């Protein structure tokens, strides 16, 4: 049986702010400290360019907000014992366990695209400024009526998760809240579309409807999707909402071609990945270049592209991975100095900062550096690892 809406499966609830503190392992002082921050203190703002040439604002939360939001994610939203996610939601939700055979079901963009394999017609619906249009009232409703928390706790959580009365890009809880914002209306739309033989998926703010009929008329489908979004005051981005047909162009969902039994990379992408591997091989042949940070950056980027092949089951993955394994980045003696400096800083901060996000980030960054260092300096790496014992972060 297909699950149509997100479902809270646990019977427990959080009935007071004191219970919330206990559930998240944070103090009342931390909660009220986060709430008392000024707008300027809550988030630092940066800009990133969007593909259409406009600018996206990204907000970096204050460490207190980050800590509380992270605990909300880990201890509430991402726990399958608390929230069960429906088949049509992908992206920011955790992988699900198949109730029949107990295997894990991926909820990434590849699995989302796979739902539309064999399609001959696509409707792509884009929501305008999705996060900015998820009002705090919707977030309050999620905590109070979906999670069944008491009113005071729900209002506090909505305040923790929102900024200037809406959800923002950068808050750690935003993707989960975006996935839940249609919790009470989306299932009915999915069911109505299923009756028409259509497939509906949503990956955060990207809605896709597909049909196995050529040149399918999606006007009815768009009407009911629009009505669903309008009920939550979420406006359509008309410029990016369109119907696509296999007769006019290759059908892609989240960058993958879907007019096949399994998702495939677009035509030419494998050739571009192969060319990227060849370029890395050429760089590696330059004397001393494998020890540079520029090479490390290029190599990691190329490895990420090659790893896309394994996710779609492409037969070139093993051969390209084998070529990259022969030219791993190598450390320089400068890396030893950096690793020792990072170790000294961790030792200095361990007693006072080991429970912070930034301490944990520095600890795991050093662990990454040691992986590279070991390739040329195994004895030094062993000594640093020995010194790292007892310095593990206590960050949840």
């Amino acid at each position: 049986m297909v699950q149509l809406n997100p479902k809270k499966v646990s019977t427990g609830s959080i009935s007071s702010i004191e219970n919330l503190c206990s559930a998240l392992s944070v103090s009342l002082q931390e909660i009220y400290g986060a709430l008392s921050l000024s707008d300027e203190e809550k988030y630092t703002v940066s800009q990133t360019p969007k593909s259409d040439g406009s600018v996206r604002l990204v907000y970096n939360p204050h460490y207190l907000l980050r800590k509380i939001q992270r605990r909300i994610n880990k201890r509430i939203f991402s726990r399958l014992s608390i929230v069960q996610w429906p088949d049509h939601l992908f992206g920011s939700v955790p992988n699900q366990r198949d109730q029949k055979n107990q295997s894990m079901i991926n909820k990434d963009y590849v699995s989302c695209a796979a739902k539309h394999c064999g399609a001959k017609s696509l409707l792509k619906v884009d929501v305008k400024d999705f996060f900015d249009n998820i009002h705090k009232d919707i977030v309050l409703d999620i905590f109070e009526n979906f999670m069944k928390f008491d009113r005071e706790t729900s209002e506090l959580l909505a305040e923790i998760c929102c900024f200037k009365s809406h959800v923002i890009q950068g808050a750690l809880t935003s993707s989960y809240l975006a996935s839940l914002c249609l919790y009470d209306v989306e299932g009915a739309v999915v069911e109505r579309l299923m009756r028409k033989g259509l497939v509906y998926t949503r990956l955060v703010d990207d809605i896709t409807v597909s049909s196995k009929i050529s040149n399918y008329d999606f006007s009815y489908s768009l009407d009911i999707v629009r009505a669903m979004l309008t009920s939550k005051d979420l406006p359509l981005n008309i410029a990016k909402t369109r119907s696509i047909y296999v007769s006019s162009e290759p059908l892609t969902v989240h960058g993958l071609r879907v007019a096949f039994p399994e998702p495939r990379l677009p035509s030419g992408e494998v050739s571009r990945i192969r060319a990227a591997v060849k370029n890395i091989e050429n760089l590696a042949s330059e004397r001393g270049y494998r020890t540079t940070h520029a090479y490390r950056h290029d190599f990691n980027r190329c490895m990420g592209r090659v790893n896309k092949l394994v996710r779609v089951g492409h037969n070139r993955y093993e051969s390209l991975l084998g070529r990259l394994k022969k030219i791993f980045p190598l450390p320089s003696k400068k890396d030893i100095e950096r690793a020792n400096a990072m170790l000294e800083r961790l030792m200095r901060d361990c007693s006072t900062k080991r429970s912070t996000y930034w301490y944990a980030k520095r600890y795991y960054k050093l662990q990454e550096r040691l992986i590279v260092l070991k390739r040329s300096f195994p004895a030094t790496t062993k000594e640093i690892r020995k010194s790292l014992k007892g310095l593990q972060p206590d960050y949840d």
Side-chain angles (χ1 to χ4, degrees), residues 171-188:
L172 276 62
T173 47
S174 292
S175 291
Y176 281 111
L177 292 169
S179 294
L180 284 170
C181 71
L182 301 170
Y183 79 90
D184 55 340
V185 294
E186 196 166 31

Side-chain angles (χ1 to χ4, degrees), residues 271-286 289 294-295 298-299 302 305 323-324 327:
S271 297
R272 288 189 287 271
I273 293 172
R274 192 165 59 242
V277 172
K278 181 61 178 175
N279 181 56
I280 292 294
E281 289 174 327
N282 291 336
L283 292 174
S285 67
E286 296 180 20
Y289 196 68
Y295 178 79
D298 291 341
F299 179 91
C302 185
R305 295 181 69 182
R323 287 165 62 179
L324 285 181
I327 51 172

Side-chain angles (χ1 to χ4, degrees), residues 334-364:
K334 195 77 177 173
D335 284 297
I336 298 177
E337 295 176 20
R338 292 192 184 101
N340 280 321
M342 293 170 76
L343 175 63
E344 288 176 15
R345 193 176 174 196
L346 288 172
M347 293 172 75
R348 185 188 69 217
D349 293 344
C350 181
S351 60
T352 56
K353 298 181 180 179
R354 71 188 303 168
S355 62
T356 66
Y357 166 79
W358 296 110
Y359 180 91
K361 186 174 181 179
R362 284 190 277 123
Y363 177 89
Y364 291 115

Side-chain angles (χ1 to χ4, degrees), residues 49-55:
K50 296 169 72 172
S51 58
D52 60 4
S54 61
V55 172

Side-chain angles (χ1 to χ4, degrees), residues 133-287:
N133 280 298
I134 301 175
H135 192 269
K136 188 162 73 172
D137 287 348
I138 294 176
V139 178
L140 174 61
D141 177 62
I142 289 169
F143 285 117
E144 186 174 23
N145 296 315
F146 176 75
M147 298 304 303
K148 307 295 185 186
F149 297 165
D150 83 299
R151 178 76 181 193
E152 186 181 20
T153 302
S154 299
E155 289 176 341
L156 185 150
L157 285 167
E159 189 69 29
I160 289 286
C161 296
C162 294
F163 182 62
K164 295 183 177 179
S165 297
H166 61 84
V167 170
I168 56 169
Q169 203 142 18
L172 276 62
T173 47
S174 292
S175 291
Y176 281 111
L177 292 169
S179 294
L180 284 170
C181 71
L182 301 170
Y183 79 90
D184 55 340
V185 294
E186 196 166 31
V189 169
V190 175
E191 188 171 35
R192 290 171 72 184
L193 294 175
M194 283 172 61
R195 292 193 199 119
K196 301 289 186 182
L198 304 176
V199 175
Y200 172 105
T201 63
R202 178 163 64 91
L203 190 144
V204 189
D205 60 341
D206 288 329
I207 294 172
T208 306
V209 182
S210 68
S211 170
K212 289 183 168 58
I213 299 172
S214 298
N215 301 314
Y216 187 86
D217 181 2
F218 284 111
S219 55
Y220 164 79
S221 309
L222 183 57
D223 284 345
I224 65 170
V225 170
R226 188 202 303 266
M228 170 188 73
L229 295 172
T230 301
S231 73
K232 299 288 185 175
D233 293 327
L234 298 170
L236 278 185
N237 186 339
I238 300 298
K240 291 186 177 180
T241 296
R242 64 192 190 108
S243 299
I244 310 165
Y245 304 105
V246 72
S247 57
S248 58
E249 63 180 276
L251 300 186
T252 63
V253 176
H254 311 309
L256 297 172
R257 295 177 68 185
V258 295
F260 307 95
E262 300 290 337
R264 292 186 186 179
L265 290 169
S267 177
E269 178 66 10
V270 178
S271 297
R272 288 189 287 271
I273 293 172
R274 192 165 59 242
V277 172
K278 181 61 178 175
N279 181 56
I280 292 294
E281 289 174 327
N282 291 336
L283 292 174
S285 67
E286 296 180 20
R287 184 179 176 86

Side-chain angles (χ1 to χ4, degrees), residues 48-68:
T48 60
K50 296 169 72 172
S51 58
D52 60 4
S54 61
V55 172
R56 176 184 285 114
L57 296 180
V58 179
Y59 297 79
N60 184 34
H62 183 276
Y63 78 92
L64 269 179
L65 282 174
R66 179 183 291 276
K67 178 179 180 178
I68 297 167

